[in-house]
């Protein structure tokens, strides 16, 4: 079969990433896998997805979480009508790889988009439009991430999209790290490569995330010395950001999830990120007395000195409240109502 349009160089990478996103190496590639592949591409298609929050990190987290769960997809992607790659891509395909019926239609639609634009080959933008042209697992995957397909298409057309997660701007940097749009400066080089290549979901590593975020909070405030006040900010920031991204928070969880018990305890006390930040940055605030221990001891105890610890945050908050820490002093100020309005 001769394809309507040949794929450009970017599509080769998209198809490679889509193969890697499958649960079964011999299974058909679905629209959800192609969407994850587009999120790894270069150019405006990836930018439209990332701008709406559909990053590689987010999409792969949902796909990993659904690997061995039956009945989690509403769309079947027309999986019964598998089409071999060569019958869609012509000489650029092969007989070993196959697509679901919906994925094959998306690729054909991409070629039609390229033909109408008189493009030499079809690329990631054409494929993304093809993927979002019907109800399929790609659209469902976006929906699980809280992202409407219309928002992605609006960005493709030069608009600003529709993404508003309701987070205070002070928390955007923490959110961007979670989504894979940023990284922590203190991370070793090997860990940066791991997070970049694998799409690491920090929400599944509460204590490890807090440790990384602690030092970043101190840097953002311009504080050279790191204290438990920065641990408190990190606990609040990671908890509040995770709650706004349940598709990341819920990866690999079953039953009652107590990993963020520390953040929940602080929330019950009426303490939130913005209020603590306001106290710390207020002019003429009362000085805090020194922590009884170095901050590294607190975070290392919480993580077991594991950079990617999956331990929960409850024990860390208990320790901060039990000892005479700067974090406890801040909480006392907020609970007593003596902080800045």
């Amino acid at each position: 079969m001769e394809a309507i349009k040949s794929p450009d160089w970017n599509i080769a990478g998209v198809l490679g990433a889509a193969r890697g996103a499958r649960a079964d190496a011999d299974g058909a590639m679905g629209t959800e896998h192609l969407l994850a592949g587009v999120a790894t591409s270069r150019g405006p298609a990836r930018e439209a997805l990332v701008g709406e929050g559909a990053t590689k990190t987010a999409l792969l987290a949902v796909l990993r979480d659904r690997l061995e769960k039956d009945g989690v997809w509403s769309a079947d992607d027309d999986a019964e009508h598998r089409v071999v790659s060569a019958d869609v891509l012509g000489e650029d395909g092969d007989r070993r790889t196959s697509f679901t019926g919906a994925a094959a239609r998306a690729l054909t639609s991409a070629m039609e988009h390229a033909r109408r634009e008189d493009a030499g080959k079809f690329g990631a933008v054409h494929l993304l439009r093809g993927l979002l042209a019907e109800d399929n697992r790609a659209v469902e995957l976006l929906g699980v991430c809280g992202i409407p397909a219309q928002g992605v298409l609006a960005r493709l057309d030069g608009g600003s999209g529709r993404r508003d997660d309701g987070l205070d701007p002070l928390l955007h940097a923490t959110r961007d790290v979670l989504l894979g749009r940023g990284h922590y400066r203190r991370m070793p080089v090997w860990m940066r490569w791991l997070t970049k290549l694998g799409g690491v979901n920090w929400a599944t590593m509460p204590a490890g995330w807090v440790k990384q975020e602690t030092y970043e909070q101190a840097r953002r405030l311009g504080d050279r010395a790191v204290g438990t006040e920065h641990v408190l900010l990190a606990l609040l920031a990671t908890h509040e950001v995770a709650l706004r991204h349940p598709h990341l928070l819920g990866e690999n969880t079953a039953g009652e999830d107590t990993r963020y018990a520390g953040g929940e305890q602080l929330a019950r006390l009426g303490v939130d990120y913005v209020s603590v930040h306001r106290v710390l940055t207020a002019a003429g605030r009362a000085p805090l007395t020194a922590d009884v221990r170095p901050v590294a001891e607190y975070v290392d105890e919480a993580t077991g000195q594991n950079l990617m610890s999956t331990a929960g945050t409850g024990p860390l908050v208990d320790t901060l409240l039990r000892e005479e820490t700067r974090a406890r002093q801040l909480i006392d100020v907020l609970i007593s109502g003596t902080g800045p309005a």
Side-chain angles (χ1 to χ4, degrees), residues 69 250 252-259:
K69 295 181 179 179
N252 296 331
T253 59
E256 185 180 2
D257 185 7
T258 61
R259 295 173 302 168

Side-chain angles (χ1 to χ4, degrees), residues 12-279:
V14 168
L15 293 176
R19 289 188 187 94
R22 292 177 299 177
D24 180 359
D26 296 322
M29 268 190 274
T31 58
E32 72 273 32
H33 306 124
L34 290 175
L35 183 69
V38 173
T40 69
S41 66
R42 296 177 180 270
R46 174 184 175 276
E47 292 168 5
L49 287 171
V50 170
E52 288 294 289
T55 61
K56 175 179 69 174
T57 297
L59 299 179
L60 290 180
V62 175
L63 290 178
R64 285 194 301 266
D65 189 50
R66 294 187 164 210
L67 280 181
E68 299 180 2
K69 295 181 179 179
D70 296 327
V72 292
W73 294 101
S74 298
D76 65 7
D77 231 44
D78 198 12
E80 294 182 358
H81 297 91
R82 291 170 58 145
V83 182
V84 296
S85 173
D87 287 347
V88 182
L89 300 174
E91 62 182 20
D92 292 299
D94 58 62
R95 309 301 300 183
R96 300 182 306 276
T97 305
S98 63
F99 300 104
T100 63
R105 289 194 297 273
L107 286 160
T108 302
S109 177
M111 298 175 197
E112 289 288 356
H113 279 294
R115 182 184 61 79
R116 288 195 295 269
E117 294 176 6
D118 200 25
K121 297 182 177 183
F122 79 90
V125 169
H126 303 118
L127 178 55
L128 183 54
R129 291 190 185 279
L131 288 169
L132 303 185
E134 63 176 72
D135 288 333
N136 51 37
R137 287 189 176 180
V139 173
E140 184 176 342
L141 177 54
L142 287 177
V144 173
C145 297
I147 300 166
Q150 293 80 2
V152 176
L153 291 171
R155 286 186 183 269
L156 274 182
D157 293 332
S160 58
R162 305 184 181 189
R163 185 67 169 164
D164 180 10
D165 53 23
L167 285 170
D168 188 279
L170 289 170
L171 292 169
H172 286 180
T174 306
R175 174 203 63 192
D176 288 344
V177 171
L178 173 61
L179 291 176
R181 296 191 294 214
H183 64 265
Y184 290 117
R185 303 187 182 197
R186 285 178 56 91
M187 286 196 306
V189 174
W190 67 265
M191 194 171 181
R192 291 188 189 183
W193 277 106
L194 179 63
T195 56
K196 181 177 181 180
L197 295 175
V200 171
N201 180 6
W202 283 108
T204 63
M205 301 173 274
W209 190 13
V210 166
K211 180 174 181 177
Q212 296 294 329
E213 184 70 21
T214 292
Y215 296 97
E216 190 65 16
Q217 289 292 331
R219 187 193 67 80
R220 291 174 198 157
L221 286 173
D223 295 340
R224 300 182 64 180
V226 183
T228 57
E229 68 270 35
H230 304 113
V231 179
L232 178 60
L233 284 171
L235 283 159
L236 293 165
T238 54
H239 180 236
E240 292 173 29
V241 168
L243 288 178
R244 294 286 184 171
H245 297 83
H247 54 292
L248 293 170
L249 178 61
E251 183 185 355
N252 296 331
T253 59
E256 185 180 2
D257 185 7
T258 61
R259 295 173 302 168
Y260 286 85
E264 293 168 3
Q265 182 178 357
L266 293 170
R268 288 194 297 270
L269 291 173
V271 178
D272 61 68
Y273 180 87
V274 172
S275 62
V276 173
H277 189 278
R278 185 183 301 120
V279 171

Side-chain angles (χ1 to χ4, degrees), residues 293-304:
R293 292 193 282 156
V295 72
E297 291 189 15
Y298 292 98
V299 294
D300 285 345
E301 284 178 5
T303 62

